[in-house]
Amino acid sequence: CFQIFQHLHEHFSVEHFSHSCSLSPGCPGPCPCRIFVVGIGFFSLCFLMTSLGGQFSAKRPGDTPFTMRAEVLGGPESRGVLRKISDMLEVIMKRMDTLSKLGNTTTDSHRLDELSSALDRIQPIGLVERIQAIAQNMSDMAVRVEQILQRSMANNRVKDGTTGQCEVPKDPHYPDCPSKVDWMRARWTSDPCYAFYGVDGSDCSFLIYLSEVEWFCPPLTWRNQTTTPTHKPFPKRQSAFRSDIEALLEQVGTGKESLSFMKRRMRRLTAQWASAARRLDDSLRSQWREQKRILVHVGFLTEESGDVFSPKVLKGGPLGEMVQWADILTALHVLGHNLKISVSLKELQGFLGVPPGRGSCPLTGPLPFDLIYTDYHGLQQMRQHMGLSLRKHKCHIRVIDTFGTEPAYNHEDYATLHGYRTNWGYWNLNCRQYMTMFPHTPDNSFMGFVAEELNGTERLSIQRNKVDSMAVVYGKEASMWKGKERFLAILHRYMDIHGTVYYETQRPPEVPAFVKNHGLLPQQELQQLLRKAKLFIGFGFPYEGPAPLEAIANGCIFLQPKFKPSHSSLNHEFFRGKPTSRQVSSQHPYAEQYIGRPHVITVDFNNSQEFESAIRDIMRTKVEPYLPYEYTCEGMLERVHAYIQNQVGFWPGSPPSPFVLLPNSSALAWASNISTPPSWPPLSALRLLASLEGQSCIDACQSAGLICEPAFYRFINIKEAFNGLEVQCEGVEAEMNHIFPAFSVESSECGLQKDRLLFSCAGANTKYHRLCPCRDYRKGQVALCRDCL
């Protein structure tokens, strides 16, 4: 039809009639009336063929309701063809009107004769009469065809569920379904991801989405559920230790000074990582280790979080986080796992396969990673772009958390009700999913970092070249030196003081004139300075950074201030808003508690006599370089390997618990003749103690030379634990309380923990004695028990 119309359009152009012509009513030429009838006839045929053809060909086997609907209603192609035909017909009619008004000239009449003869040849006998009949009945037929189309579309849409006439189910197993449908009616256009999943504004599309993409409505019986794709599990592969880090360096990428800093650190420690990998491989005796698919998303380096660290790398800003992330990436790579690294929101979305839009829709496929290492910034970004999927996949996440998150702050409802809500925390994770820089609390997992190890030659060189009268100050920003003049003057009586304060050439830092400031030094030059110095002194800030351990590893004594009272979120601005109630007794509590004298000396800097006495003691003391095993490359590899292979199944139920009293001890242990349920750490390491009133389980276990182990709480959170400790209970109640399980001697009250997310080593209350699950630990590796590898 279209081609014939085009033929008519070309031959009935006004340009064919350069002169006016006169046509009598009886002339045999192509009269305007005949041409008009021919045009109407062909238009009618085309309309019928287009309409009926669309009706009979729209539905094909295997079409979805959405493709069928689009074709029946007429896609852009069919609408375009009809529009062209209509436009051509209008042009022909206008030109016929022009022809009818032409004068009585006979010039070029032979052209009309030729055209009439040609038209007669292509017309079968009676065709014009038939077309006229069709034209007369066109109006009625058009109405009938439209009725047929509407009835057919309605039947098919009801059958396939694409109309808005679906009934919203009221199923007690899906109580949120009606309210979710109401929300979709009002807000389905708020995020493009809904349209991506087929939502078109109809109730049936809402129900399809809420039952098949999300899980708030029951499956629809008329939907073909057999077409739901089945996802095969990823094949398990064995991991192998790696010594070459070039592939890792390429993955880390470029473009940020922070990334350059991390890559320089990785290169510098390559040999130490390779040596540590060989030693760990030997100790594991080629034990089969599953290779994990791991995504590492460094949220604080993304532009969306502000990337506040990159500009400060060259200005003495905090580098502790980048030190830790560089070491985490290297450890995962050396252990042989399959890594993907993301430092932008676009990379995160691509790796996770999130649908387009603003993050309101969940992922529909399986998570392509076994583990995701991120930070609080990254966790927030994942919630924005994974929607409900984050709740579904939370167990895969590990949060690198510098200062730690305690259970009372992590449990959202409990934190809100009891005043523990802060800017961070409240994610309802298992607290062992938070991984800290230092072993602040056993409630979290200790990830750590590494410090450079010295070989025998380097250790001898340090001992020969130490300058007993040389001190280096821990403070790269000029603001850290303000108000420290008094004790710096005392120190200057005994030692030459060196600083590494960043400054621009036109603005020297405001430090005392007797201080020799080297400016901000590259890491290797700073190491050389520390290898000469006798003393590394802190001013109280920054808290708990890597620098003191690096100084001690290079043969320095670390002198730090004691805080009276201890700093916490209750009395110090720096800790306010952080999800912990920890009492920080000094600038570096780990160095004070786990290393101590002679390598670490902690004194009150406000007491001039105590400070000066400490300086004189340091002048007389000889120390060798010292590095705790857990901060060596091998120690970190050992720890990360143990977590990855064993830290699974966070939520098992509570088993029955038979306890026996250990000889010559007040601690209980798991009876050896009773089969032990699967547990990591193994139950053989469990020791059950009762704390003193007002004492946390951290302190109670430490006083017995043990470590509190939150993984064991599920084994002691039962009535038999009170009986084993011979505690008199008038009644045992379960309650949401981060102190429980605990008991009160005065009131004979005993309480069990009702919510497993609130098991806490850190909590304390003056009214209660707590039940504390303790364990032993490996020498120099508090994160692991003796049998944990």
Side-chain angles (χ1 to χ4, degrees), residues 238 372 525 604 731:
Q238 184 173 1
I372 300 175
E525 293 183 31
D604 183 2

Side-chain angles (χ1 to χ4, degrees), residues 404-443:
T405 299
E406 294 176 8
Y409 296 82
N410 169 69
H411 193 295
E412 185 174 14
D413 293 339
Y414 186 83
T416 303
L417 289 173
H418 296 86
Y420 293 101
R421 183 68 180 256
T422 65
N423 295 332
W424 309 100
Y426 64 81
W427 286 92
N428 293 322
L429 300 175
N430 183 293
C431 277
R432 283 178 288 159
Q433 292 175 255
Y434 299 105
M435 309 191 115
T436 57
M437 183 173 281
F438 293 94
H440 306 302
T441 169
D443 291 320

Side-chain angles (χ1 to χ4, degrees), residues 20 27 30 39 83 189 218 300 313 330 360 369 376 455 481 500 508 513 577 610 630 671:
S20 60
C27 77
R83 191 177 296 111
T189 59
F300 78 92
V313 170
T330 310
S360 302
F369 300 101
Y376 268 128
N455 57 38
W481 293 66
T500 58
E610 185 179 352
E630 54 200 356

Side-chain angles (χ1 to χ4, degrees), residues 168-185 206-207 209-211 214-218 388 391:
V168 178
K170 296 181 179 179
D171 189 328
H173 296 97
Y174 299 88
D176 296 325
C177 186
S179 63
K180 290 293 181 180
V181 171
D182 289 340
W183 188 95
M184 293 288 288
R185 286 169 179 160
F206 297 154
L207 291 173
Y209 174 83
L210 291 171
S211 62
E214 296 185 11
W215 44 87
F216 292 105
C217 292
L388 294 171
R391 183 174 65 184

Side-chain angles (χ1 to χ4, degrees), residues 23 242 258 309 372 376 478 511 519 593 620 666 671 704 747 753 763 780:
L23 297 176
R242 300 187 182 107
S258 52
F309 286 92
I372 300 175
Y376 268 128
V511 299
Q593 178 181 343
R620 295 189 297 264
S666 60
S747 61
Q753 181 56 255

Side-chain angles (χ1 to χ4, degrees), residues 486-556:
R486 183 170 56 86
F487 61 79
L488 280 175
I490 297 174
L491 177 61
H492 182 53
R493 296 178 200 164
Y494 298 89
M495 292 185 169
D496 296 325
I497 303 175
H498 295 252
T500 58
V501 184
Y502 167 80
Y503 67 95
E504 297 175 355
T505 53
Q506 64 273 23
R507 293 186 60 189
E510 298 178 5
V511 299
F514 52 76
V515 174
K516 182 180 180 180
N517 185 33
H518 298 263
L520 191 64
L521 294 177
Q523 186 66 22
Q524 286 180 311
E525 293 183 31
L526 177 60
Q527 292 276 67
Q528 295 303 319
L529 190 65
L530 293 175
R531 291 181 180 187
K532 291 182 180 180
K534 177 69 174 287
L535 173 65
F536 188 64
I537 181 172
F539 286 163
F541 188 85
Y543 297 97
E544 301 176 304
L549 266 67
E550 293 174 345
I552 296 168
N554 282 287
C556 293

